[in-house]
Amino acid sequence: MKRLSFVVVFLGAILVFPVSAAASDLTLSDALNRTLKSNPDLQKYDYQQQAAEALTLQAEFSPNPRVGLEVENFAGSGESSGLDSAQMTLSFSQVIELGEKRQQRMNAATAEEKVQQAEFEYQRIEVLAQTTQRFYQVLKLQEFIRLSKQQLHRMESLLETAQERANAGAVPNSEVTRIQLQRESQRADIEELKGQLAKAQAKLSAMWAEQPNFNQVSGTFYFPLKLPKQSDVLNAVNKAPEYLRLLDSERLLRAQAKALEADSTSDLSLGFGVRYNNQSDDTGFVVEASMPLQLQDPNIGRIKQRRVLHQSNLQQQKLVRTQLRSLALALINSLQTHQNYRQKVKDTLLPLAQQLVEQTNQGYVRGTHSLLQVLDAQNELAQLEYQRVSREHAIYSDVIQLERMTGQAFLGEQQ
């Protein structure tokens, strides 16, 4: 089903995992499987689908026949006293539905069942996309912690150099104190990131209603990514899950309107029976036919309501398509911006920042560069490393949002 094809992207296209992972590590495929199995928002749809199937079954039944017993001319006065003059009629009757009531009723119930199935598929896309977003939020924080530890290691190396120079009397002890302050601040940042990571892990495991039972997630931001073409994205909007939901709702409204129109047709009731006259001890057959007079349509208000809702649905389809196209274009532009900036950071800015750190470290040892120059160079390098990861996470977030919105697998060939 095309509206579910984005899952293939998550599991096989834009993700690259190690071949083997520790038992305590969580892969995206594990997270998605757990979500499908235990997510509370998805569990309720099983009952709703069963309820819709029950209504479809109910719609197949026609009215049951009726049996009646009528006693006349008894327990009165004069000749009608007692049961001597009583007349008893035993009858059987059946309502014959006209106007294709049964078929239209079944069509409406089937359309309702399809709407429930489509709603489940839409919700499944939403839940899986949310799980994937939370997974990559955990991965981003893990990367931030790793980079922060690298920055801490650089500071500790610089602290050793400063301590040696201070012992030699080349620099004042205040420089050692300054680095120690930076180091402790970096450690505090790492602890804060660990707290954010624990929160993100809890939010991820909440997608399958459990507490975190993993140490870390296993995955990577795989690059380079071939971004989808604008024309492909705009074409995919016509098959967007949100748009398809409206189409399913439109079919349901049409089916319900037809069922109400059919229900406005009068039904024919046919019956036959046997009448016994106790006074004359005679028996005779009785045949009856009846049909209500439809002086006015009993469903005129309901039919009008369905027609109004149908017009509203058509209007919503136009608005949703326009809105989705605008959002898709915005995501494409955002993807291109993040991709370009990440490439600039990776190819140009990071190499220059690393070169600057090496030069200032060497200059500090020789006494040609100040401590502030070294710290500024290290902080610049750290910020660029964080920006690279942030842009990679932003690209993945936009891709997931685009896949969720359109239900299409643009990156299916990238493995």
Side-chain angles (χ1 to χ4, degrees), residues 312-323:
S312 174
N313 183 282
L314 294 177
Q315 182 66 19
Q316 282 294 110
Q317 290 181 30
K318 297 178 182 179
L319 295 176
V320 166
R321 287 184 63 184
T322 301
Q323 183 184 50

Side-chain angles (χ1 to χ4, degrees), residues 89-103:
T89 304
L90 178 64
S91 62
F92 297 88
S93 62
Q94 174 68 56
V95 174
I96 300 177
E97 294 183 304
L98 302 179
E100 297 184 341
K101 282 188 178 64
R102 180 173 177 272
Q103 184 60 51

Side-chain angles (χ1 to χ4, degrees), residues 183-248:
R183 181 187 63 179
E184 294 308 312
S185 177
Q186 187 67 27
R187 287 176 175 173
D189 289 342
I190 292 175
E191 290 304 313
E192 182 179 5
L193 285 172
K194 288 181 178 179
Q196 295 178 12
L197 176 61
K199 179 180 178 181
Q201 289 175 333
K203 292 180 68 175
L204 174 59
S205 60
M207 295 302 298
W208 52 87
E210 291 182 6
Q211 295 182 354
N213 58 355
F214 56 92
N215 292 331
Q216 63 179 10
V217 298
S218 176
T220 184
F221 294 111
Y222 172 76
F223 285 92
L225 287 178
K226 182 181 178 182
L227 300 182
K229 297 179 180 179
Q230 177 175 312
S231 57
D232 294 336
V233 173
L234 294 180
N235 289 334
V237 167
N238 297 325
K239 299 177 182 179
E242 188 173 356
Y243 179 67
L244 295 178
R245 288 173 75 198
L246 291 173
L247 293 180
D248 290 327

Side-chain angles (χ1 to χ4, degrees), residues 111-123:
E112 175 67 31
E113 185 177 350
K114 290 181 178 179
V115 165
Q116 290 295 332
Q117 292 173 350
E119 187 65 26
F120 169 74
E121 300 297 347
Y122 175 83
Q123 187 64 29

